[in-house]
Amino acid sequence: MTATLYAPSPSSGASGRRAGSDFAPLARRVRESGLLERRRGYYARAIALNLAATAAVWGAVAWAGAGWWTVLLGVPLAVLAARAAFLGHDAGHRQIARTARANRWLGLLLGNLLLGMGHGWWNDKHNRHHANPNHVGKDPDVGEGVLAWTREQAGRKRGVLRWVARHQAVLFFPLLTLEGVNLKVGSLLFLRGRSRRDRLVEGGLLLVHAAWYLGLAFALLPPAQAVALIAVQHALFGVHLGAVFAPNHKGMAMPGPGERWGHLRRQVLTSRNVRGGAVTDWLMGGLNYQIEHHLFPGVPRCSLRRVRPLVMEHCAAVGLPYAETGLIESYRRALGHMREIGEPLR
């Protein structure tokens, strides 16, 4: 499926200079449409169904017993864990409950307790990403790490990391199998610089998660199968989350040093939507509407589909390109960008 770039008609007459200051009319229209209102019933059902399904899969693990086929139940566990992560993400954006406190506790229960992934760590990192998407030095998602997002970063790699950067397009999905563990390690390291209360609350919930999760796995299965189930779940969980987040910004505009874009321009030009129906919406947790989510992070995910035509129309009116592709094309573009960055090292 090819990419679609919804660009303005020549008669629109709006200049790029205006694009950064034209967010207010769109915000007013979205607010008046009622799409900013919380959908607590939707989220109550989503959380209840996800918890029930997770309990059912663990029940299936107990019923299936010690056979190696039981390890395959790590696949639905990974999918359900990703659903919980998406719900925690929405709580972090205060999409679910009325108060910040209630959303924080939902995030702690869904993230720290259910997944073993620190809500505070994720929120800190993710909020910095939303404030300056694809901006090197400000967005942690394009910061220095195992992978290189700019040729300058690639040129600074040495040793094994240089080899990885050279082949990063091929290695991207295999490396994602480690992301599930990396998220937990990052959550723990983040607590070192936090207040005593945060360490007690978040660290305590992470310990409770480790106790119930490992206790359940090793109580229901022999050690070898328990380790295999845990490995399968964490590997596929990392791949699932990475497959959702990778198409959204990789290969899109990256503001240069000193460039200051308005909210509309900053969020639209750095983001890419992924076309699809109900299945795509479910698998990607609504983040296939990445442009709408970045413009209005407080909009409940179930409302993003209805925000999309308003944003498309507004972008056309002010002369701002709106990028949207199919899922396969989005991966092709993201991996093509990574291949291009590593090209000088080959």
Side-chain angles (χ1 to χ4, degrees), residues 21 38 118 158 331:
S21 61
R38 291 179 175 84
R158 296 292 182 268
Y331 291 138

Side-chain angles (χ1 to χ4, degrees), residues 17-29:
R17 180 181 56 82
R18 288 184 55 211
S21 61
D22 279 343
F23 178 64
L26 174 62
R28 183 168 56 251
R29 189 176 178 191

Side-chain angles (χ1 to χ4, degrees), residues 2 17 100 103 118 190 260:
T2 58
R17 180 181 56 82
N103 279 300
F190 177 77
R260 300 181 66 180

Side-chain angles (χ1 to χ4, degrees), residues 8 12 22 57 59 74 110 128 152 189 195 207 232 243 256 261-262 264 267 274 283 289 309 314 321:
S12 66
D22 279 343
V57 175
L110 289 164
R128 285 186 286 130
E152 291 74 18
L189 294 178
S195 68
L207 286 175
V232 167
W261 296 353
L264 184 70
Q267 304 300 345
V274 176
L283 284 173
Y289 303 105
H314 186 74

Side-chain angles (χ1 to χ4, degrees), residues 278-299:
V279 174
T280 303
D281 291 359
W282 185 79
L283 284 173
M284 301 191 73
L287 295 177
N288 46 315
Y289 303 105
Q290 190 66 192
I291 294 172
E292 289 71 29
H293 172 60
H294 262 257
L295 286 172
F296 301 98
V299 168

Side-chain angles (χ1 to χ4, degrees), residues 228-286:
L229 177 73
I230 292 169
V232 167
Q233 180 184 356
H234 280 75
L236 293 181
F237 174 65
V239 171
H240 189 353
L241 288 188
V244 168
F245 285 102
N248 296 336
H249 300 282
K250 307 313 177 195
M252 295 303 294
M254 300 183 73
E259 285 191 86
R260 300 181 66 180
W261 296 353
H263 181 70
L264 184 70
R265 184 178 180 85
R266 181 169 63 246
Q267 304 300 345
V268 173
L269 294 184
T270 61
S271 302
R272 177 193 297 114
N273 275 18
V274 176
R275 276 193 299 268
V279 174
T280 303
D281 291 359
W282 185 79
L283 284 173
M284 301 191 73

Side-chain angles (χ1 to χ4, degrees), residues 126-206:
H126 196 60
N127 286 341
R128 285 186 286 130
H129 158 71
H130 265 264
N132 293 282
N134 263 16
H135 197 140
V136 175
K138 296 182 179 181
D139 180 0
D141 287 357
V142 291
E144 298 281 356
V146 175
L147 302 175
W149 307 114
T150 67
R151 290 197 170 185
E152 291 74 18
Q153 289 179 355
R156 291 194 290 268
K157 302 291 185 186
R158 296 292 182 268
V160 174
L161 290 181
R162 189 175 181 86
W163 180 87
V164 170
R166 187 183 307 146
H167 304 285
Q168 62 183 5
V170 175
L171 294 173
F172 179 68
F173 282 104
L175 285 172
L176 286 179
T177 60
L178 304 174
E179 185 62 14
V181 174
N182 181 54
L183 293 172
K184 294 190 172 184
V185 172
S187 300
L188 287 171
L189 294 178
F190 177 77
L191 291 178
R192 293 183 303 180
R194 308 306 292 174
S195 68
R196 184 171 180 271
R197 183 178 182 276
D198 283 346
R199 291 198 300 271
L200 286 174
V201 173
E202 294 215 33
L205 288 172
L206 291 175

